[in-house]
Amino acid sequence: MVQKESARRGRPRSYDPDTALANAMAVFWHAGYSGTSLDDITAGTGMNRPSLYGAFGDKRALYLHTLERYRALGRAAFAAALSPDRPLREALRQVYDTALTVYYAGDAGARGCFLIGTALVESVNDADVRKMLRDALREFDAAFKARFLTARDRGELPRDADASVLATLASALLYTLAIRSRAGEPRKALEAMIDPVLDLICGKPPRRR
């Protein structure tokens, strides 16, 4: 019979994993993976190198953890925004408004999307990053497509509407917002792109008399 340990030996863990990942993600978000040093990460997280290695592995492993965290947050945000409890047009606008709020929330200015802004560069030479990026983009398409299928069944879209094509269009706008915000374009300029795309997907709303 193996006796269970009542407590682990050594000092108790003095950091919160999610907070540490959030802080590490902010550092990578600012300078990208290649432009971020371990010193930058230790300064941003308040953890020394042995603690970082013990908690997350090396720099690459830590970066992969931050990508997973961002994907999980994005998945939850998509599910909330695309809820079938709200009309399709309102749901799509919620997706883009939420995304823009994230893209423009950087302390140093507009930062764009963490996934697209950092993983695109690293995906060229890192198969794991490339797969994670590809899977994430497919998740966006799938989430949009599922919502469009629901909308079509409810009569919010024509019966012959191609949910896959509409999902590609909806995702394309999201990527455009991510890239152009990172490039420093004003938020109002990007917000002006939303309604024309919503008109293409949902149809133009009736004019008020």
Side-chain angles (χ1 to χ4, degrees):
M1 180 176 180
V2 179
Q3 185 176 3
K4 294 183 179 180
E5 289 184 312
S6 59
R8 292 186 177 183
R9 295 180 179 178
R11 291 184 300 176
R13 187 171 64 185
S14 59
Y15 72 95
D16 175 67
D18 192 61
T19 299
L21 282 177
N23 291 335
M25 188 168 74
V27 178
F28 284 127
W29 208 329
H30 176 70
Y33 175 79
S34 298
T36 298
S37 68
L38 282 173
D39 287 339
D40 295 330
I41 297 170
T42 57
T45 60
M47 298 173 65
N48 59 34
R49 293 192 185 193
S51 296
L52 281 170
Y53 288 139
F56 304 109
D58 60 13
K59 175 185 166 182
R60 178 178 176 276
L62 175 60
Y63 175 62
L64 293 176
H65 280 301
T66 61
L67 287 178
E68 286 288 5
R69 181 181 187 275
Y70 189 79
R71 284 182 63 188
L73 292 173
R75 201 176 293 121
F78 252 65
L82 292 176
S83 169
D85 294 336
R86 53 168 59 100
L88 177 61
R89 189 182 187 98
E90 182 182 325
L92 293 174
R93 177 170 290 283
Q94 184 65 34
V95 169
Y96 299 126
D97 286 345
T98 300
L100 286 174
T101 297
V102 173
Y103 299 164
Y104 284 91
D107 294 335
R111 59 185 182 175
C113 171
F114 176 66
L115 178 72
I116 293 174
T118 66
L120 275 177
V121 176
E122 301 308 319
S123 65
V124 175
N125 296 312
D126 191 316
D128 290 333
V129 174
R130 183 165 60 250
K131 182 180 185 304
M132 195 174 295
L133 174 62
R134 182 175 63 247
D135 290 347
L137 299 185
R138 288 175 176 173
E139 279 186 358
F140 295 151
D141 290 344
F144 279 128
K145 181 179 179 179
R147 185 62 182 85
F148 292 145
L149 289 173
T150 298
R152 193 175 66 183
D153 291 342
R154 291 180 172 181
E156 292 181 286
L157 292 173
R159 291 299 305 171
D160 61 350
D162 190 322
S164 296
V165 171
L166 293 180
T168 301
L169 176 60
S171 293
L173 176 57
L174 189 65
Y175 307 149
T176 296
L177 299 179
I179 294 169
R180 288 180 176 270
S181 60
R182 180 77 172 188
E185 290 199 22
R187 177 167 179 166
K188 285 190 175 297
L190 300 189
E191 289 174 340
M193 299 178 182
I194 298 175
D195 276 333
V197 175
L198 296 185
D199 289 345
L200 285 173
I201 294 174
C202 305
K204 291 186 178 182
R207 292 183 178 180
R208 295 181 180 179
R209 294 182 179 179

